[in-house]
Amino acid sequence: MQQLWPVPEPKQVGSEPETADELEGFYEYPPELSRPWVRVNFVSSLDGAVAVNGGSRGLSSAADRRVLSLIRDLSDVVLVGAGTAMAEGYRGVRRTEARTRRRAERGMGEVPPIAVVTGSGSVDPASPLLTDTVATPIVLTSEAAPAERVTALTEAGAEVVIAGRDEVDLPTALRELARRGLYRIGCEGGPGLFGSLIAADVVDELCLTVSPLLTSGDTSRIATGPAAGTPRGMRLLSALYADESMLLLRYGRLAE
């Protein structure tokens, strides 16, 4: 993986394959955060598809998965929509030697919890998200979620957080995560959740891997939902490429 062109501010990566420390420099969160800080990570084909055969794995590569794993290592919590968690077969984040070391160096727990967004509480209590996990999972839901579902999720070991009346109010949900000390939020989609984050204007950074594939079809783009009132300007922070012709882009929110 190499830097493609000079960009402002981030650490420079030389022409030789980067070390783990150099990659960490690219993807480190800002220090001493006092508010929730949202980083969204996606992979897309050249023509904008977010899935092949129903999942993102067909678009991914070793380099993309390495960055996804690193972002998880550096995040206080992994945020994901219930539909994506189900489609991608999510379970709790795994312990690894590198993950444990990175997180211990930063005073973080062994693994980040996964926070699932579902206004209706539609997570199966028997899901590996709840049954195969080290960290206590969080379910972000609304007052509209049936009481019996909330009870079942709580009994299955999830921390259920009510954030909104008829649907999940994302600014409220993010504040609830921050209130629990979870400021570094790594969002892994899906498109509906990303679209809602854009509409709420709470996205601080987008990490976008562009896969060298043309897929066509009717798969959705990386963000769907109501159009934002005013498009949010972003600026390029870094651009890396991998041997697989993958382009790994990182864009940050323009200063207010």
Side-chain angles (χ1 to χ4, degrees):
M1 197 179 295
Q2 300 172 318
Q3 186 173 343
L4 185 60
W5 57 72
V7 292
E9 294 186 8
K11 291 182 179 180
Q12 299 298 298
V13 175
S15 58
E16 296 301 315
E18 80 296 327
T19 65
D21 287 345
E22 286 173 322
L23 253 193
E24 286 178 21
F26 272 84
Y27 290 95
E28 193 74 75
Y29 282 86
E32 300 179 6
L33 290 170
S34 59
R35 65 165 181 85
W37 202 93
V38 179
R39 164 183 281 157
V40 179
N41 186 55
F42 261 99
V43 60
S44 166
S45 70
L46 288 174
D47 54 331
V50 294
V52 173
N53 297 323
S56 63
R57 192 166 185 84
L59 295 169
S60 189
S61 69
D64 176 59
R65 290 189 289 273
R66 181 180 178 188
V67 168
L68 172 65
S69 181
L70 175 60
I71 291 173
R72 285 185 164 194
D73 293 354
L74 301 176
S75 297
D76 291 323
V77 61
V78 174
L79 186 70
V80 65
T84 294
M86 182 182 303
E88 300 283 351
Y90 269 57
R91 60 189 64 239
V93 177
R94 301 311 223 192
R95 292 186 184 99
T96 69
E97 183 177 342
R99 176 166 290 144
T100 299
R101 174 189 56 77
R102 279 194 185 106
R103 295 178 67 81
E105 290 171 352
R106 293 163 175 80
M108 304 164 78
E110 276 190 296
V111 298
I114 291 183
V116 186
V117 179
T118 166
S120 62
S122 59
V123 176
D124 184 350
S127 164
L129 271 171
L130 307 187
T131 63
D132 187 9
T133 181
V134 176
T136 299
I138 300 169
V139 177
L140 298 167
T141 191
S142 71
E143 295 176 13
E148 61 272 18
R149 286 188 187 174
V150 171
T151 299
L153 291 170
T154 301
E155 291 176 349
E159 179 180 3
V160 179
V161 178
I162 306 298
R165 178 170 294 178
D166 298 318
E167 58 186 22
V168 176
D169 179 78
L170 287 170
T172 299
L174 297 178
R175 286 194 296 270
E176 285 294 326
L177 293 176
R179 194 167 66 83
R180 290 160 172 77
L182 307 175
Y183 292 95
R184 302 168 185 85
I185 299 167
C187 177
E188 298 179 2
L193 176 55
F194 186 22
S196 296
L197 290 168
I198 293 172
D201 195 24
V202 292
V203 176
D204 293 288
E205 183 178 302
L206 170 63
C207 297
L208 177 63
T209 298
V210 181
S211 176
L213 295 174
L214 295 173
T215 66
S216 191
D218 57 1
T219 300
S220 68
R221 54 192 281 181
I222 66 172
T224 60
T230 302
R232 163 56 57 187
M234 306 288 281
R235 67 188 180 93
L236 181 67
L237 299 177
S238 64
L240 305 175
Y241 69 86
D243 291 340
E244 304 93 335
S245 293
M246 289 274 181
L247 188 60
L248 293 96
L249 305 173
R250 192 166 59 92
Y251 282 88
R253 182 186 184 96
L254 284 172
E256 303 293 332

